[in-house]
Amino acid sequence: MAIRQRRLNDLENNNKHDRLIRGTAMNGKVRAFAIQTTELVEELRRRHDTFPTATAAMGRTVTTAAIMGAMLKGEEKLTVQVNGDGPIGQIVADANAKGEVRGYVSNPHVHLPSNSVGKLDVAGAVGTEGFINITKDLGLKEPYRGSVPIISGELGEDFTYYFAQSEQTPSAVGVGVLVDTDNSVIVSGGFIMQLLPGLTDPEITAIENAISTLPPVTTLLEQGLELEELLRRLLPDVQVMEGLDIHFSCECSRERVEKTLISLGQTEMEQLIEEEGQAEVVCQFCNEAYDFNKEQLETILEQAKN
C-alpha cells in the first residue's frame, strides 16, 4: 500500500496530535524533551510542495526549532537559519514558547538518491559547508545571536554541536522524518537531552549507551511509541512534567502585507501601479498569496503619502 496502515489507523481514530513533553532525570542533572511533529511537517510539506529530501531537511529543522522554542518563556521567540552549500539553499524556522512554529526552504523541489545507508540524503541536500544561525528575541534591547559551522549536514549532529559550542550545554539531538511513497509525511519527531553539571562518569556512560542503542526515532513513532515511553528508554528514572501542543502558525495577514507595501514608499508604489496595475505578495513561511488590484494599490498609495 502506498500509505502505511499506521497512518490510516491514526487518521481513523484521530487520537494522535503534535505535542511536546519535557522531563528531568538523575536528580535534576539531566533535562530532556521529546516531540512529535507529524502534522506540522505535513502541513509545511503541503503548503510548500516539498520533495522528500527537502521535506526531511525542513522537518528536522522545524522539529528542533519547536523544542528550542519550548525552552523559552512568555512572549520570547527564536529563528533558526540553516545556510549550507547544498542545493536546498536556506532553511528557516520560527518558533515560540507557545508551541507555534512555521518554516520554509529556499528550494523545495530537492530530492536526491538515498545515501549509503539507504536513508534520505539530508546532508547532500543541506551541504557540509556553511553555518547554523540562531536568533532569540528574549524581550531585551538586543536579540541573542549564536552561530556555529555546519559539521555534517545531517542536522541532528549539527544542532548537537550548536548547543555544546554556542550555549555551553552538552546535549544530544535526535530528529527524524519518515516520508511515504506519495511524498506525504508518515511520522516526524525527535528528542533533545541536555546534561547539566554534577553528572558522574557512570551516569554519563549510561546515557551514552542508551542513546547509541536507541532505534531511529521515526521507527519508534511509527510503531506507536508514546513520547513518555521514548524518554523512559533514554532515561529510566525520568520525571515527566507538563506538555505543550505543537502547531503550525503564521503571523502574516492582509494588514501586515499592506504595511509592507506602504513601506516601499511613494515612488515605488507609483511605479508598481503604472507598470503592473496589480500586485501579488506571497508569504515565504505559509505560501499564502495576497492579491491587490489597481484600485486597492491606489488606496495604499494614498496611505503611503500620508
Side-chain angles (χ1 to χ4, degrees):
M1 297 177 66
I3 302 178
R4 304 282 181 92
Q5 190 63 44
R6 178 72 199 173
R7 289 181 61 234
L8 290 173
N9 291 341
D10 285 347
L11 288 172
E12 181 180 350
N13 296 333
N14 195 28
N15 61 355
K16 294 286 185 181
H17 66 277
D18 288 349
R19 67 186 188 104
L20 172 145
I21 63 170
R22 66 192 91 202
T24 60
M26 297 185 176
N27 295 317
K29 292 177 289 188
V30 179
R31 67 173 179 171
F33 303 81
I35 191 171
Q36 178 168 314
T37 55
T38 306
E39 294 176 355
L40 167 66
V41 178
E42 171 61 16
E43 175 80 4
L44 292 171
R45 181 206 67 82
R46 183 186 62 79
R47 286 179 174 272
H48 298 291
D49 189 33
T50 51
F51 288 5
T53 311
T55 300
M58 178 179 63
R60 292 182 188 183
T61 302
V62 298
T63 296
T64 306
I67 299 177
M68 294 178 70
M71 298 177 184
L72 303 177
K73 299 176 182 178
E75 299 298 320
E76 297 174 351
K77 55 187 177 180
L78 61 82
T79 298
V80 175
Q81 295 174 302
V82 179
N83 296 299
D85 62 348
I88 203 172
Q90 186 180 62
I91 310 172
V92 180
D94 281 356
N96 61 28
K98 303 173 185 177
E100 298 172 338
V101 190
R102 61 180 186 170
Y104 70 90
V105 298
S106 297
N107 300 309
H109 293 167
V110 171
H111 184 53
L112 304 177
S114 299
N115 60 22
S116 59
V117 294
K119 303 293 185 180
L120 290 171
D121 189 7
V122 171
V126 172
T128 55
E129 299 287 337
F131 290 88
I132 290 180
N133 303 308
I134 312 288
T135 304
K136 296 182 182 180
D137 181 355
L138 305 177
L140 305 176
K141 192 172 183 180
E142 294 292 333
Y144 164 86
R145 292 184 174 89
S147 180
V148 295
I150 292 171
I151 60 171
S152 77
E154 289 291 340
L155 296 177
E157 298 172 21
D158 299 294
F159 285 111
T160 296
Y161 185 69
Y162 164 80
F163 281 111
Q165 295 297 312
S166 187
E167 300 198 1
Q168 304 296 305
T169 305
S171 306
V173 180
V175 286
V177 180
L178 188 60
V179 181
D180 211 338
T181 53
D182 65 352
N183 290 356
S184 63
V185 177
I186 300 172
V187 289
S188 175
F191 68 87
I192 292 181
M193 187 188 311
Q194 297 192 311
L195 311 186
L196 306 177
L199 285 168
T200 65
D201 288 341
E203 287 173 330
I204 294 174
T205 300
I207 292 171
E208 291 173 343
N209 290 338
I211 293 172
S212 65
T213 58
L214 187 76
V217 171
T218 50
T219 299
L220 298 174
L221 292 176
E222 189 185 17
Q223 292 172 351
L225 192 74
E226 297 292 339
L227 295 179
E228 290 83 356
E229 182 58 30
L230 171 59
L231 284 191
R232 289 192 186 96
R233 289 206 181 187
L234 292 166
L235 300 161
D237 69 330
V238 68
Q239 299 294 314
V240 177
M241 297 181 288
E242 77 280 6
L244 177 68
D245 288 338
I246 302 297
H247 58 277
F248 168 80
S249 178
C250 189
E251 298 175 349
C252 77
S253 65
R254 191 172 186 86
E255 291 73 24
R256 283 177 177 263
V257 174
E258 288 179 2
K259 290 179 181 178
T260 301
L261 290 172
I262 291 173
S263 70
L264 294 176
Q266 180 177 340
T267 302
E268 286 195 46
M269 283 294 297
E270 289 175 343
Q271 185 177 356
L272 177 64
I273 293 170
E274 181 179 347
E275 295 180 1
E276 303 293 335
Q278 58 159 353
E280 181 185 73
V281 181
V282 179
C283 175
Q284 280 185 302
F285 281 101
C286 67
N287 219 27
E288 289 288 343
Y290 296 89
D291 295 310
F292 298 86
N293 59 32
K294 184 176 181 180
E295 291 75 17
Q296 291 168 330
L297 291 176
E298 288 173 341
T299 300
I300 295 172
L301 173 60
E302 289 303 313
Q303 293 175 325
K305 291 179 179 179
N306 298 328

